Short mmCIF file of all heavy atoms in Angstrom, two decimals:
data_model
loop_
_atom_site.label_atom_id
_atom_site.label_comp_id
_atom_site.label_asym_id
_atom_site.label_seq_id
_atom_site.Cartn_x
_atom_site.Cartn_y
_atom_site.Cartn_z
N GLY Y 83 173.14 203.37 180.17
CA GLY Y 83 173.26 203.30 181.76
C GLY Y 83 174.81 203.03 181.92
O GLY Y 83 175.62 203.92 181.87
N GLY Y 146 139.85 194.14 193.80
CA GLY Y 146 138.48 194.40 193.98
C GLY Y 146 137.84 194.91 192.70
O GLY Y 146 136.60 195.28 192.83
N GLU Y 217 136.23 182.59 172.11
CA GLU Y 217 136.56 181.19 172.44
C GLU Y 217 136.86 181.07 173.94
O GLU Y 217 137.40 180.08 174.32
CB GLU Y 217 137.73 180.59 171.56
CG GLU Y 217 137.38 180.67 170.15
CD GLU Y 217 138.53 180.50 169.27
OE1 GLU Y 217 139.79 180.38 169.74
OE2 GLU Y 217 138.35 180.51 168.00
N VAL Y 224 130.27 190.20 173.87
CA VAL Y 224 128.87 191.04 173.55
C VAL Y 224 129.17 192.15 172.67
O VAL Y 224 130.08 193.03 172.92
CB VAL Y 224 128.46 191.55 174.86
CG1 VAL Y 224 126.97 192.29 174.65
CG2 VAL Y 224 128.17 190.43 175.90
N PRO Y 233 128.80 198.60 155.85
CA PRO Y 233 129.04 197.91 154.58
C PRO Y 233 130.42 197.27 154.60
O PRO Y 233 131.28 197.74 155.26
CB PRO Y 233 129.03 199.11 153.57
CG PRO Y 233 128.60 200.35 154.24
CD PRO Y 233 128.64 200.06 155.65
N THR Y 301 127.35 211.83 175.14
CA THR Y 301 128.22 210.98 176.07
C THR Y 301 127.36 210.05 177.00
O THR Y 301 126.16 210.25 177.21
CB THR Y 301 129.04 212.07 176.90
OG1 THR Y 301 128.08 212.76 177.70
CG2 THR Y 301 129.85 212.86 176.11
N GLY Y 337 168.04 201.59 157.23
CA GLY Y 337 168.66 201.10 158.45
C GLY Y 337 169.85 201.92 158.90
O GLY Y 337 170.37 201.90 160.07
N ALA Y 352 167.12 198.91 163.67
CA ALA Y 352 166.22 197.89 163.15
C ALA Y 352 165.06 197.80 164.21
O ALA Y 352 165.15 198.03 165.39
CB ALA Y 352 166.91 196.56 162.92
N THR Y 360 154.87 198.69 165.10
CA THR Y 360 153.82 198.18 164.15
C THR Y 360 154.48 196.77 163.67
O THR Y 360 155.62 196.49 163.84
CB THR Y 360 153.82 198.93 162.84
OG1 THR Y 360 155.00 199.07 162.37
CG2 THR Y 360 153.17 200.40 163.20
N LYS Y 368 162.49 190.87 157.96
CA LYS Y 368 162.74 191.60 156.62
C LYS Y 368 163.53 192.85 157.03
O LYS Y 368 164.40 193.35 156.41
CB LYS Y 368 161.45 191.80 156.05
CG LYS Y 368 161.65 192.00 154.47
CD LYS Y 368 160.32 191.88 153.79
CE LYS Y 368 160.31 192.75 152.54
NZ LYS Y 368 159.18 193.24 152.12
N LEU Y 386 183.01 202.31 156.95
CA LEU Y 386 182.87 202.17 158.53
C LEU Y 386 184.01 202.89 159.21
O LEU Y 386 185.17 202.66 158.78
CB LEU Y 386 182.67 200.72 158.89
CG LEU Y 386 181.53 200.03 158.41
CD1 LEU Y 386 181.56 198.53 159.03
CD2 LEU Y 386 180.25 200.64 158.87
N GLU Y 446 173.91 182.33 187.75
CA GLU Y 446 175.21 182.01 188.29
C GLU Y 446 175.37 180.46 188.45
O GLU Y 446 176.40 180.01 188.66
CB GLU Y 446 175.33 182.54 189.76
CG GLU Y 446 175.63 184.01 189.70
CD GLU Y 446 176.98 184.38 189.41
OE1 GLU Y 446 178.03 183.83 189.95
OE2 GLU Y 446 177.19 185.19 188.35
#
Side-chain angles (χ1 to χ4, degrees):
E217 295 163 1
V224 184
T301 64
T360 58
K368 205 169 156 206
L386 295 178
E446 288 285 309

